[in-house]
Amino acid sequence: MSTLAAPAPAPALAPRRARLADLPVLLVAVVWGGSYLAAKGITAPHTVIAVLVLRFALVLPVLVLAGWRRLRVLSPAQLRGAAALGLVLGGIFLLETYGVVHTSATNAGLIISLTMIFTPLAESAVRRTAPSAAFLGAAAVCVAGVVLLTQGAGFTAPGAGDLLILGAALARTAHVLLMARIKAVQDADALSLTTVQLGGAVLVFALLAALPGTGDSPWAAAADFGPGQWAGLAFLSVLCTLFAFFVQMWAVRRTSPSRVSLLLGTEPLWAAAAGIALGGEHPGPLGLTGAALVLVGTAWGRRAAA
């Protein structure tokens, strides 16, 4: 489950140094791919909000301390813009986490990759420009792949989890477009922007957790965790959030944003690999065909959009 970054242009590097910078970024894609299986392993329908509070409340103080000086100089407009984005981010994580509880990690990782197709399509609609024929072809391949993927056991209606993950992909698209259109945040420091957004998302989760009927409290969920659940939570908090963000911040200063984006685009492949190899998931021939189409379509779409 990817978080967010705001890459800045970087000077060109020698090929060997660029390859060395690629390795940590590729590792981020791997841990993000594994995040769906980890979230599925520690989350139940009645603990989704509690797990989200715990996951981000653990890392938020570290981000605040790391970027305190830059946080203090954010303007009121930047704070408002980042807080608004945090509300959208909270919605994304709610949809993703509820979705992965009700579908396979493989499906979740591959369906969420449709963001790479939805975003250029939405951008074209906003700008009133027609996407290329190649891009439309890639989008059609992705849609066909998702249909096959979610019908791996036969042609039945997609499950609730698949639809929630699809909603998360649409919400991610809205988040990207809003980041590009809210002028106040465009010049904001990336660390400060992320910290405020995560703070807004945690506030949403905490308010929901305080409402009756929204499941276990964070304290009750934490009390029931065993070593395996704490390990999964640490994986999501430390590796998928802290490590991933700081690697992106480090990498975009040593390589190009396009190269970082391309490597992070392998996340669906690792999600499928984790689900099949570690989660014991069996998509079947139809599902595997759909997974292949999603991977081919998103790769083709990225190239066509570029």
Side-chain angles (χ1 to χ4, degrees), residues 140-274:
V141 169
C142 284
V143 171
V146 168
V147 170
L148 292 177
L149 174 70
T150 58
Q151 317 307 318
F155 284 96
T156 59
D162 298 321
L163 295 177
L164 287 169
I165 296 295
L166 185 62
L170 292 169
R172 280 196 188 190
T173 298
H175 186 264
V176 172
L177 293 180
L178 285 171
M179 285 188 72
R181 294 180 70 84
I182 298 177
K183 293 182 179 179
V185 304
Q186 291 175 10
D187 296 327
D189 170 70
L191 176 58
S192 301
L193 178 62
T194 298
T195 302
V196 175
Q197 287 189 76
L198 289 180
V202 169
L203 180 60
V204 170
F205 304 147
L207 291 174
L208 289 174
L211 296 176
T214 54
D216 292 353
S217 70
W219 327 115
D224 289 338
F225 276 4
Q229 286 81 11
W230 280 113
L233 185 65
F235 176 81
L236 291 171
S237 297
V238 177
L239 291 181
C240 298
T241 306
L242 272 184
F243 170 77
F245 175 75
F246 283 110
V247 165
Q248 288 178 88
M249 291 282 289
W250 172 83
V252 295
R253 287 165 171 78
R254 290 162 176 79
T255 181
S256 71
S258 297
R259 195 177 182 106
V260 171
S261 177
L262 182 63
L263 290 166
L264 294 180
T266 64
E267 176 191 346
L269 176 63
W270 303 112

Side-chain angles (χ1 to χ4, degrees), residues 85-149:
L85 290 171
L87 298 180
V88 180
L89 188 65
I92 293 170
F93 280 111
L94 284 168
L95 288 167
E96 282 186 353
T97 311
Y98 273 114
V100 80
V101 168
H102 295 289
T103 189
S104 68
T106 302
N107 278 25
L110 289 163
I111 293 173
I112 202 69
S113 71
L114 291 178
T115 303
M116 289 181 278
I117 297 295
F118 291 159
T119 302
L121 286 175
E123 192 174 14
S124 293
V126 169
R127 294 182 176 180
R128 298 182 181 180
T129 58
S132 67
F135 186 84
L136 291 175
V141 169
C142 284
V143 171
V146 168
V147 170
L148 292 177
L149 174 70

